[in-house]
């Protein structure tokens, strides 16, 4: 039996505000202006290339403010789509702006002739719209009569109907003029889902949403799904994350009414529930009902685990991402509470988990995993003051005893010897920050006989020297490893794919975290090339990694198709060709100046000449491999590039791995075809 809409709204959210939407009939886009203005919408979409900022030739029209409104675009009475109406408020701008670090776009000033101050103004206003996986740009021509031209004053607005988007999607809108006289306006909106809109009878994907109710019974929590006997739907329980994608916990496809029982110990604040009908392009509805549940916050700390990865780094494992504070403390060998350092060292802020109901602490000792068994050591706090002033004190149950000192404590008695041990490198550094350091100095040697003192000092000095060398070696390794690298290429043929695979494998041997579609065929087939690349690119850039564009004749041809008129026809590339699918995301990064520092280009010797790479991609370093491997590896390492000698060794290692695959690819293609690819500008389609 169908569930009434008011019950559905109450079940899927807390006190939703239902909004009634205006209906637009027909699939055509339209534009209209406020009184006194005239406007015209160009037919079809345009290429999203904002260009660089140029100086104003006089009074010009610029966007001043963006507004959005939700409407319904209906093909039939019960067949509608959610649509975003955009209102652009315009103003007259006369101030000359410095382009800053951006270069003047060649020929940009020729796009709009200088106008007299008392003449009418005309502008080409671009609206750019992104709502994954849709990206559109439209062009509006607006003309303002001379009577309304007043510098610095608003002249009216232009309304565009409309950009279609999915329920619950995040949309981003930019507005700028051609040529561009100022930084583009931008607006980000989170669209509501079926719960907040009066669309039950208009959008078909909202018809079959399951009714979900959450109830408690003692220690158990019941998820009650009241649907018809024949309805098929999916149920997903997941942990929502502040950063990164959600973590799935439990998923099942169900049919008919169901009651799912959860134990109260499974509840955490970020546990969310998602339901959707098992129909194509169905709407998924999510709720997170345990955000304010005290039991969920107690469980969060119960399952949290603090782990020390090294004497200077730690990790807190827990299902949810919240905020807390980690501080250093010390504990006597006999046990007892962990006491804060006095004077304190700087506190380190980390993203961990905290409860607002209880003050709970997680504690882990450095000795357990880092320094071996407990030792009779003295902890010294080295505080660095202004003008390189330093003070030293020893931690004791009575407090931090200054060294040297005349008080009657154990640390004061051995004060001179401890200072000498520290200066001689016999103490182990446990922590080092901008304002101070923490040292552990051994005390057991002072209770041995005199004849063992020299032997023990030499042994400790040797151990400290070896530990220093090992730490130095580890720091070099850590600085050179771990950066993410996403390889994008055009699958021209089997030989070129083998060459890319050889490069990816060689880079992985250098401890780079390499991602390439050759190694992710299953995910690529399941998600599709565009979705797979979007997820990999976002993760790589968020982690400070680099996207590597491997240019080949096929890649250059794909870029030509985009730059001359849009994307290639469906099926023009292979089902796993992430390069062609990724151009819709890659080109805006280059055209809007976001590529430097995040992208690197490369091509292979004898397969493609560097001059054949389109000029748009020359804003980032482009290398020819393997002849420029040394510079290429340095660019992949980024700011933390290793010693030149180490990079030279890596370059030789990668070159040896590439040469057989490069020779094989060269022989399979043949000299005539390669000579065409080696010609400067070959395949680019750019004059």
């Amino acid at each position: 039996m169908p569930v009434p809409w008011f019950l559905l709204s109450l079940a899927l959210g807390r006190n939703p505000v239902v909004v009634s939407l205006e209906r637009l009939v027909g699939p055509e886009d339209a534009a209209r202006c406020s009184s006194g203005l005239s406007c015209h919408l160009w037919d079809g979409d345009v290429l999203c290339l904002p260009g660089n900022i140029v100086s104003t030739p006089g009074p010009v029209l610029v966007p001043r403010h963006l507004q959005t409104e939700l409407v319904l675009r209906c093909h039939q009475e019960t067949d509608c789509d959610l649509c975003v109406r955009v209102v652009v408020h315009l103003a007259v701008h006369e101030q000359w702006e410095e382009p800053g670090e951006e270069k003047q776009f060649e020929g940009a000033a020729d796009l709009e002739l200088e106008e007299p101050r008392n003449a009418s103004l005309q502008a080409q206003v671009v609206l750019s719209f992104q709502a994954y996986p849709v990206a559109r740009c439209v062009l509006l021509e607006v003309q303002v009569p001379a009577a309304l031209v007043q510098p610095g004053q608003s002249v009216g607005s232009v309304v565009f109907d409309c950009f279609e988007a999915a329920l619950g999607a995040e949309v981003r809108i930019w507005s700028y003029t051609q040529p561009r006289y100022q930084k583009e306006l931008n607006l980000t909106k989170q669209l509501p889902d079926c719960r907040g809109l009066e669309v039950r009878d208009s959008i078909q994907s909202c018809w079959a949403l399951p009714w979900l109710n959450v109830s408690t019974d003692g220690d158990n929590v019941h998820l009650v799904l009241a649907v018809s006997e024949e309805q098929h739907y999916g149920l997903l329980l997941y942990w929502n994350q502040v950063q990164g994608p959600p973590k799935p916990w439990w998923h099942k496809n169900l049919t008919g009414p169901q009651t799912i029982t959860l134990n109260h110990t499974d509840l955490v604040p970020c546990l969310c529930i998602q339901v959707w009908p098992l129909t194509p392009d169905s709407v998924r509805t999510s709720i997170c009902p345990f955000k304010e549940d005290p039991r969920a916050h107690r469980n969060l700390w119960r399952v949290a685990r603090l782990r020390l990865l090294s004497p200077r780094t730690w990790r807190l494992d827990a299902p949810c991402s919240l905020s807390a504070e980690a501080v250093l403390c010390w504990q006597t060998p006999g046990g007892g509470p962990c006491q804060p350092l006095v004077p304190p060292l700087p506190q380190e802020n980390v993203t961990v988990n905290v409860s607002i109901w209880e003050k709970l602490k997680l504690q882990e000792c450095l000795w357990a995993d880092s320094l071996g068994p407990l030792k009779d050591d003295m902890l010294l706090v080295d505080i660095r003051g202004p003008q390189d002033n330093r003070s030293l004190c020893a931690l004791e149950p009575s407090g931090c005893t200054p060294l040297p000192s005349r008080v009657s404590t154990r640390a004061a008695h051995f004060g001179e010897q401890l200072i000498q041990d520290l200066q001689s490198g016999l103490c182990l550094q446990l922590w080092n920050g901008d304002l101070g350091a923490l040292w552990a100095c051994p005390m057991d040697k002072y209770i041995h006989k005199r004849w063992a003192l020299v032997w023990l000092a030499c042994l400790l000095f040797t151990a400290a020297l070896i530990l220093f060398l090992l730490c130095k070696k580890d720091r070099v390794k850590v600085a050179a490893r771990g950066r993410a690298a996403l390889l994008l290429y055009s699958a021209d043929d089997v030989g070129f794919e083998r060459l890319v695979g050889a490069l990816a494998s060689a880079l992985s041997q250098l401890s780079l975290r390499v991602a390439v579609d050759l190694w992710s065929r299953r995910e690529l087939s399941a998600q599709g090339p565009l979705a797979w690349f979007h997820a990999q690119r976002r993760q790589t850039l968020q982690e400070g990694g680099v996207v590597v564009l491997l240019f080949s004749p096929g890649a250059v041809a794909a870029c030509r198709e985009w730059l001359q008129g849009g994307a290639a026809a469906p099926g023009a590339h292979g089902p796993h060709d992430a390069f062609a699918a990724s151009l819709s995301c890659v080109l805006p990064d280059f055209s809007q100046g976001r590529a430097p520092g995040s992208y690197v280009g490369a091509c292979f010797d004898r397969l493609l000449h560097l001059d054949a790479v389109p000029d748009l991609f020359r804003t980032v370093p482009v290398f020819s491999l393997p002849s420029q491997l040394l510079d290429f590896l340095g660019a992949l390492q980024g700011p933390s590039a290793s010693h030149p000698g180490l990079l030279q060794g890596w370059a030789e290692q990668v070159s040896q791995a590439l040469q057989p695959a490069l020779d094989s690819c060269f022989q399979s293609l043949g000299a005539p075809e390669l000579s065409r690819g080696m010609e400067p500008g070959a395949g680019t389609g750019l004059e």
Side-chain angles (χ1 to χ4, degrees):
M1 184 178 69
V3 179
W5 178 247
F6 73 92
L7 287 179
L8 178 64
S9 298
L10 292 176
L12 293 181
R14 295 186 176 183
N15 300 325
V17 178
V18 180
V19 180
S20 179
L21 302 182
E22 178 184 343
R23 290 171 173 261
L24 303 179
V25 179
E28 296 83 9
D29 295 337
R32 64 182 187 274
C33 300
S34 59
S35 176
L37 277 65
S38 60
C39 55
H40 169 69
L41 173 65
W42 277 35
D43 294 334
D45 290 357
V46 297
L47 195 62
C48 303
L49 294 175
N52 298 319
I53 297 177
V54 300
S55 59
T56 59
V60 293
L61 281 179
V62 294
R64 182 58 56 87
H65 180 59
L66 287 178
Q67 286 181 299
T68 59
E69 179 183 352
L70 294 180
V71 296
L72 290 177
R73 171 170 282 171
C74 298
H75 311 284
Q76 296 179 4
E77 182 67 21
T78 59
D79 183 13
C80 301
D81 294 309
L82 192 63
C83 214
V84 180
R85 170 183 290 165
V86 182
V87 181
V88 185
H89 296 270
L90 302 172
V92 178
H93 177 71
E94 188 177 18
Q95 180 182 1
W96 184 85
E97 292 188 359
E98 191 73 35
E101 297 180 356
E102 302 186 46
K103 297 181 179 180
Q104 299 245 353
F105 189 83
E106 185 176 355
D110 296 332
L111 295 179
E112 181 170 327
L113 299 176
E114 184 173 350
E115 301 281 354
R117 291 182 179 270
N118 59 349
S120 62
L121 293 182
Q122 183 176 352
Q124 293 184 342
V125 180
V126 178
L127 286 178
S128 176
F129 178 85
Q130 288 187 5
Y132 177 80
V134 177
R136 293 186 58 194
C137 278
V138 297
L139 182 63
L140 304 169
E141 285 190 350
V142 184
Q143 187 167 2
V144 180
L148 297 180
V149 176
Q150 295 294 332
Q153 298 297 319
S154 175
V155 296
S157 60
V158 57
V159 180
F160 171 75
D161 285 330
C162 57
F163 294 113
E164 293 186 12
L167 290 162
E170 181 182 78
V171 300
R172 297 183 178 183
I173 303 171
W174 291 267
S175 180
Y176 52 89
T177 59
Q178 288 186 343
R180 187 160 64 97
Y181 301 112
Q182 63 180 17
K183 184 177 180 181
E184 60 267 24
L185 298 181
N186 65 84
L187 184 66
T188 300
K189 289 287 187 180
Q190 183 72 42
L191 302 186
D193 54 24
C194 296
R195 293 173 292 167
L197 299 172
E198 193 176 283
V199 293
R200 180 195 178 199
D201 298 327
S202 304
I203 299 181
Q204 296 179 3
S205 58
C206 293
W207 293 359
L209 281 176
W211 176 30
L212 171 65
N213 185 30
V214 180
S215 62
T216 59
D217 179 16
D219 290 339
N220 296 325
V221 175
H222 301 296
L223 309 180
V224 181
L225 295 114
V227 299
S228 63
E229 294 288 345
E230 299 80 13
Q231 183 169 346
H232 305 281
Y233 57 94
L235 175 66
L236 172 66
L237 301 181
Y238 64 94
W239 293 319
N240 194 29
Q241 304 295 306
V242 175
Q243 297 179 346
K247 295 180 180 179
W249 179 46
W250 186 86
H251 168 259
K252 194 171 184 180
N253 292 335
L254 303 171
T255 301
Q258 299 284 342
T259 299
I260 309 297
T261 302
L262 303 177
N263 193 285
H264 72 95
T265 57
D266 297 327
L267 306 183
V268 290
C270 61
L271 179 61
C272 299
I273 307 163
Q274 187 177 86
V275 290
W276 67 96
L278 295 180
T279 56
D281 300 325
S282 60
V283 175
R284 297 193 175 203
T285 300
S286 300
I287 59 173
C288 302
F290 309 113
K291 290 182 179 180
E292 309 298 330
D293 193 325
R295 294 178 302 174
H297 285 266
R298 286 194 295 267
N299 292 336
L300 179 60
W301 279 102
R302 189 176 296 114
V303 299
R305 294 293 180 268
L306 178 64
R307 293 191 299 150
L308 287 166
L309 306 180
S310 71
R312 289 199 59 186
T313 59
W314 58 88
R315 175 178 176 178
L316 184 61
D317 295 323
C320 304
S321 298
L322 299 173
S323 61
E325 193 175 68
V327 296
L328 287 175
C329 61
W330 70 284
Q331 189 178 43
T332 59
C338 196
Q339 306 177 34
L341 294 179
V342 181
L345 292 182
Q347 299 176 349
E348 301 288 342
N349 290 326
V350 292
T351 300
V352 291
N353 303 290
V354 68
S355 170
I356 61 175
W357 282 272
E358 301 180 44
K359 295 294 183 181
L360 301 177
K361 296 180 180 178
L362 297 176
Q363 177 180 315
E364 187 75 12
C365 289
L366 290 169
W367 308 100
D369 299 320
S370 305
L371 305 178
L374 289 173
K375 301 175 182 179
D376 187 16
D377 289 354
M378 184 68 68
L379 291 180
L380 302 184
V381 180
D382 185 6
I383 302 298
R384 304 185 186 100
Q387 300 180 351
D388 294 332
N389 292 330
R390 300 178 62 184
S391 61
L392 192 67
C393 67
L395 289 173
E396 296 185 287
S398 59
C400 203
T401 304
L403 296 181
S405 176
R406 297 181 180 273
V407 298
S408 300
T409 64
R410 185 183 183 212
H413 179 70
F414 293 103
E416 295 293 340
Q417 293 91 327
L418 291 172
I419 294 176
Q420 292 177 4
D421 289 346
L422 181 62
Q423 294 173 347
S424 302
L426 301 180
C427 298
L428 178 64
Q429 188 180 75
L430 304 180
W431 194 267
N432 187 26
D434 295 336
L435 301 180
L438 183 64
W439 303 84
C441 295
M443 295 293 292
D444 51 356
K445 64 180 180 178
Y446 295 114
I447 63 175
H448 294 317
K449 297 180 179 179
R450 292 283 184 180
W451 60 267
L453 186 58
V454 176
W455 175 84
L456 184 59
C458 293
L459 182 61
L460 289 174
F461 178 81
T462 303
L465 181 60
I466 294 175
L467 183 61
F468 172 78
L469 295 176
L470 290 176
C471 291
K472 183 176 181 181
K473 181 179 179 181
D474 289 341
R475 285 196 297 269
V476 173
K477 288 183 177 180
V478 169
R481 62 185 295 185
R483 195 181 190 197
L486 173 61
L487 304 187
L488 292 180
Y489 68 98
S490 175
D492 291 4
D493 52 57
V494 176
F496 189 78
E497 283 191 327
R498 292 197 190 101
L499 181 58
V500 174
L503 176 62
S505 299
L507 294 179
S508 297
Q509 297 299 319
L510 307 183
S511 299
L512 289 167
R513 292 183 288 114
V514 179
V516 64
D517 63 353
L518 285 172
W519 299 345
S520 305
R521 292 299 196 195
R522 181 177 299 177
E523 294 85 352
L524 200 66
S525 298
Q527 302 175 15
L530 182 60
W532 180 86
F533 166 75
H534 180 79
Q536 293 293 329
R537 169 183 168 275
R538 179 177 60 182
Q539 180 178 353
T540 299
L541 297 184
Q542 285 179 348
E543 295 175 356
V546 60
V547 179
V548 182
L549 302 178
L550 297 177
F551 290 97
S552 63
V556 172
C559 295
R560 177 191 60 194
E561 294 176 12
W562 274 90
L563 293 173
Q564 286 185 344
H573 302 274
H576 306 304
D577 193 354
F579 185 89
S582 65
L583 287 178
S584 62
C585 295
V586 170
L587 286 177
D589 285 345
F590 279 87
S591 62
Q592 297 175 16
R594 299 193 298 262
S598 301
Y599 286 80
V600 169
C603 59
F604 292 98
D605 297 345
R606 300 186 291 173
L607 295 182
L608 188 73
H609 197 278
L610 281 176
D611 292 339
V613 177
D615 292 340
L616 180 63
F617 300 95
R618 300 293 185 84
T619 57
V620 302
V622 182
F623 307 95
S624 185
L625 308 181
S627 59
Q628 297 179 343
L629 259 175
L630 186 62
D631 296 333
F632 176 70
L633 294 179
L636 291 187
Q637 294 295 318
S640 60
S642 302
H643 189 273
L646 184 59
L647 284 178
Q648 182 65 41
W650 288 353
E652 295 175 359
Q653 177 182 343
V654 176
S655 180
Q656 293 176 1
L658 281 181
Q659 201 60 50
L662 186 60
D663 292 340
S664 176
C665 186
F666 181 80
Q667 294 172 2
S668 64
L669 289 178
E673 184 175 352
L674 283 174
S675 62
R676 290 195 300 270
M678 288 291 294
E679 294 176 3
T684 63
L686 302 176
E687 297 296 328

